[in-house]
Amino acid sequence: MTAQPPSIAAHTNKRSGPPPTVTISTRTVRRRYVPPRWLGFTAKKLGHLLIVLVAVTFLVSLMLDFLPGDPARAILGEDASPDQVAQLRSELRLDDPVLVRYLDWVMSALQGDLGTSYRTGQPVGEAILQRLPVSVELMLLVQIIALVTAVVLAVWAVYRPNGIVDRIGTAWSFAAISAPHFVVGLFLVFVFAVTLGWLPASGFVPLTDGLGPNLATMILPALALSLEPAGIYQRLLRGDMQATMKEDFVLAAQAKGMSTMNILFRQVFRPSSFSLVTLAGINTARLIGSAVVIETLFALPGVGRLLVDSINARDFIMIQAIVAVIAVFYVFVNILIDLLYLLLDPRVRADRG
């Protein structure tokens, strides 16, 4: 007769005594509930996001406290009496210590309230959401122009090394990296707006009023911002592709008679693009800071211009919220880039596993 397992016997024979304690091995639980690698990685990065967000917003609060000028005086104007200024400072709680004001702001932000602008009286979250689409559209256009230009020039340079296009591309990348954004912007305005009259020098048309008018107002700012990243991307991708061309698997593909285009795009471009993906992600977040000058120059109503206006008006609550949004955006973009790395490169998955 075959003996029953203890666990089954405990359920079928209740009169034999108290039910046995069922113990589950910790090792078994770990084997069953091992989370996916990307989940642990994302949780770790979100922890970093929280630390960065607290550090950045508190430092901004601290620095704003040392800025010269009185927000209450800036709101009321120079003709306001000292009593009026003191009353407004009390209403805005500007006399409270910086730590108290910061903690109040954090508690309100956790409830979805980023405060009210000192300058306009508009809710800060609403003002940022109105400006954010303009900045996001500008960044997308900049990255598209920069990546397309860099990939075309880099692939052609590897296809025809030391050719005329390669030499022009190398010289152009040096000039693109060296030229400041505002100088390029002024040059583009002089050529395409003032001299040729093809495009408007400033202003903005929303996308809802038509794609053509919208692009007409966005193309010059996008070109002015895309020149530098395009030059950097081109140099990086060209160097990586030239190094990959010397790998054994590429030489083997050439020996097998594989076509040049197939080798360039399937064997060389993909392994050479990992550094480009990382750099493009970092640049996407960095472009928000670079867009401050360009949005002001071309009168675009984006987040960068809102930040400049808020600094001029000592609108501390708005500055703090914009910096927090930029910090969150920056960290989220880096998380997405790292996750993309895990997806594309098996070597990274093995290292982080």
Side-chain angles (χ1 to χ4, degrees):
M1 183 175 179
T2 306
Q4 272 185 321
S7 59
I8 298 177
H11 287 288
T12 55
N13 188 12
K14 297 181 179 178
R15 295 180 179 178
S16 60
T21 303
V22 178
T23 58
I24 302 175
S25 169
T26 306
R27 183 176 298 175
T28 305
V29 172
R30 286 177 181 170
R31 285 178 182 172
R32 288 180 181 176
Y33 300 104
V34 172
R37 290 169 183 167
W38 66 266
L39 191 60
F41 177 75
T42 306
K44 183 180 177 183
K45 288 292 182 181
L46 288 177
H48 292 171
L49 166 65
L50 185 62
I51 295 172
V52 170
L53 197 57
V54 171
V56 168
T57 52
F58 181 70
L59 284 176
V60 169
S61 300
L62 200 60
M63 288 189 293
L64 291 177
D65 206 48
F66 291 106
L67 278 179
D70 188 348
R73 175 68 67 183
I75 295 170
L76 295 175
E78 296 299 327
D79 297 332
S81 66
D83 291 340
Q84 290 174 320
V85 174
Q87 182 179 356
L88 185 57
R89 285 186 63 85
S90 176
E91 291 175 0
L92 297 177
R93 302 184 62 182
L94 294 174
D95 294 325
D96 291 346
V98 61
L99 183 59
V100 173
R101 277 187 282 135
Y102 175 71
L103 291 177
D104 287 343
W105 180 82
V106 170
M107 295 305 296
S108 299
L110 290 176
Q111 298 173 12
D113 182 12
L114 293 176
T116 303
S117 170
Y118 298 161
R119 181 169 58 96
T120 62
Q122 185 182 17
V124 170
E126 181 182 313
I128 294 176
L129 286 177
Q130 287 177 352
R131 303 294 189 97
L132 199 58
V134 180
S135 297
V136 171
E137 182 187 355
L138 180 61
M139 281 187 295
L140 289 176
L141 285 174
V142 169
Q143 290 290 48
I144 291 172
I145 294 172
L147 286 171
V148 169
T149 305
V151 169
V152 169
L153 289 177
V155 171
W156 189 266
V158 176
Y159 177 62
R160 288 281 186 268
N162 298 319
I164 184 67
V165 176
D166 186 15
R167 294 178 184 179
I168 293 175
T170 302
W172 169 83
S173 65
F174 274 113
I177 295 170
S178 306
H181 297 307
F182 72 94
V183 174
V184 178
L186 290 174
F187 175 76
L188 292 174
V189 168
F190 174 75
V191 174
F192 294 101
V194 178
T195 305
L196 300 175
W198 291 351
L199 296 168
S202 63
F204 175 72
V205 176
L207 193 58
T208 52
D209 291 349
L211 181 60
N214 172 262
L215 288 179
T217 57
M218 294 294 285
I219 193 67
L220 289 184
L223 284 173
L225 271 179
S226 64
L227 198 61
E228 182 199 7
I232 297 173
Y233 297 164
Q234 189 268 345
R235 289 179 58 81
L236 179 69
L237 184 60
R238 176 179 175 271
D240 286 349
M241 290 186 71
Q242 286 178 337
T244 308
M245 284 292 290
K246 300 175 183 176
E247 296 286 343
D248 292 339
F249 66 92
V250 177
L251 298 176
Q254 290 174 328
K256 290 179 181 177
M258 191 176 289
S259 67
T260 304
M261 289 298 111
N262 203 345
I263 291 174
L264 281 177
F265 285 100
R266 297 191 61 180
Q267 305 292 328
V268 178
F269 179 74
R270 184 183 174 186
S272 303
S273 62
F274 294 145
S275 302
L276 181 64
V277 170
T278 304
L279 188 60
I282 296 172
N283 255 337
T284 300
R286 192 178 64 86
L287 283 172
I288 293 183
S290 303
V292 169
V293 177
I294 293 300
E295 286 182 3
T296 305
L297 179 64
F298 288 92
L300 293 179
V303 174
R305 189 178 172 197
L306 179 62
L307 180 60
V308 173
D309 294 342
S310 302
I311 292 173
N312 291 332
R314 304 293 189 272
D315 196 349
F316 293 168
I317 197 80
M318 182 69 79
I319 298 170
Q320 196 166 19
I322 292 175
V323 172
V325 169
I326 292 174
V328 169
F329 185 78
Y330 193 91
V331 177
F332 264 114
V333 168
N334 279 282
I335 292 175
L336 289 178
I337 293 300
D338 285 339
L339 289 175
L340 190 60
Y341 239 63
L342 287 175
L343 180 67
L344 291 177
D345 195 346
R347 296 169 298 180
V348 178
R349 288 199 294 271
D351 290 342
R352 293 180 178 175

